[in-house]
Amino acid sequence: GSTVMAFAMGTLASLVTTPTSTVALISVAVPHAGLLQMDEAVAMIYGANLGSTITRIFLTQGSTGTLRQLSRFQDLFKIVGTTIFVLLFVVEEGFHVPLVQALARHVVSGLPLQLATVNLILNGSMALVTTVFASPIERFVARTWPPSAVEDLSAPKYISHDGLGDAVTAIDLLEKEQMRIIKATRDYLSL
């Protein structure tokens, strides 16, 4: 009978099971059995989004470089998405403004499909926003969580797709890259 409790249950369940999709599937099945109302199940889905993020933050705490960039981007993606959709949920429930749940009810019939639609709206809309703003997000992630020194040393500096079309140029670039790697060996060993 409590959306706050359902949100907490979704968060805790996702902490234990990690994938959000597991809790989302449970959130769809449980109301179908008559154990939860739509608003409670929606809160559970939103809580699951947050729970998996908390788990990933703890699991990747010591990571560096690309792994850290990727996991922090996912964390940011899910935290922002959850925050936005929880605020929409509060507005919809508290002020009776038709938003996400109303859209799901309007688009499909049947509680399980409506809950699946809410989950799709949550993840799909955030993915769409991320796609539209991909370049600024990429710059933000690279600036906030820079690559590790090992990744920076191991990234090719001379070999490029443009130079591979001509055999002579490709061989020259390969020689330069090999010399760079040989000279950087002591830097590799010091890391």
Side-chain angles (χ1 to χ4, degrees):
S2 167
T3 55
V4 173
M5 181 64 87
F7 183 85
M9 284 174 42
T11 304
L12 288 174
S14 193
L15 277 168
V16 174
T17 63
T18 304
T20 305
S21 57
T22 303
V23 179
L25 289 171
I26 292 169
S27 300
V28 169
V30 171
H32 188 63
L35 300 174
L36 291 176
Q37 301 299 317
M38 182 171 182
D39 59 339
E40 297 161 345
V42 168
M44 194 175 204
I45 290 169
Y46 295 164
N49 227 27
L50 182 62
S52 65
T53 304
I54 293 168
T55 301
R56 189 177 38 258
I57 287 171
F58 284 124
L59 292 175
T60 61
Q61 199 162 9
S63 65
T64 59
T66 305
L67 174 63
R68 185 174 185 188
Q69 287 177 336
L70 179 62
S71 62
R72 291 305 171 252
F73 164 73
Q74 286 181 313
D75 299 339
L76 191 63
F77 174 87
K78 288 201 163 205
I79 290 170
V80 168
T82 301
T83 303
I84 290 168
F85 277 82
V86 165
L87 290 173
L88 292 173
F89 179 82
V90 168
V91 169
E92 187 167 18
E93 288 294 310
F95 300 103
H96 306 290
V97 176
L99 295 169
V100 179
Q101 293 177 70
L103 176 62
R105 284 186 187 110
H106 180 72
V107 173
V108 295
S109 61
L111 188 56
L113 281 176
Q114 291 169 352
L115 293 171
T117 302
V118 167
N119 193 38
L120 178 65
I121 292 169
L122 166 65
N123 291 295
S125 63
M126 289 307 296
L128 183 63
V129 167
T130 302
T131 302
V132 170
F133 296 103
S135 293
I137 291 171
E138 185 179 338
R139 287 191 300 273
F140 172 77
V141 168
R143 187 178 60 246
T144 307
W145 301 287
S148 69
V150 171
E151 286 176 331
D152 195 40
L153 282 172
S154 64
K157 302 289 187 233
Y158 297 104
I159 296 178
S160 69
H161 292 290
D162 298 335
L164 297 179
D166 178 41
V168 176
T169 304
I171 290 172
D172 287 343
L173 292 175
L174 180 62
E175 287 176 3
K176 281 185 168 185
E177 190 63 37
Q178 287 174 334
M179 287 306 297
R180 183 192 70 80
I181 291 170
I182 289 169
K183 289 177 182 176
T185 301
R186 108 187 105 171
D187 293 333
Y188 281 116
L189 297 173
S190 68
L191 294 173

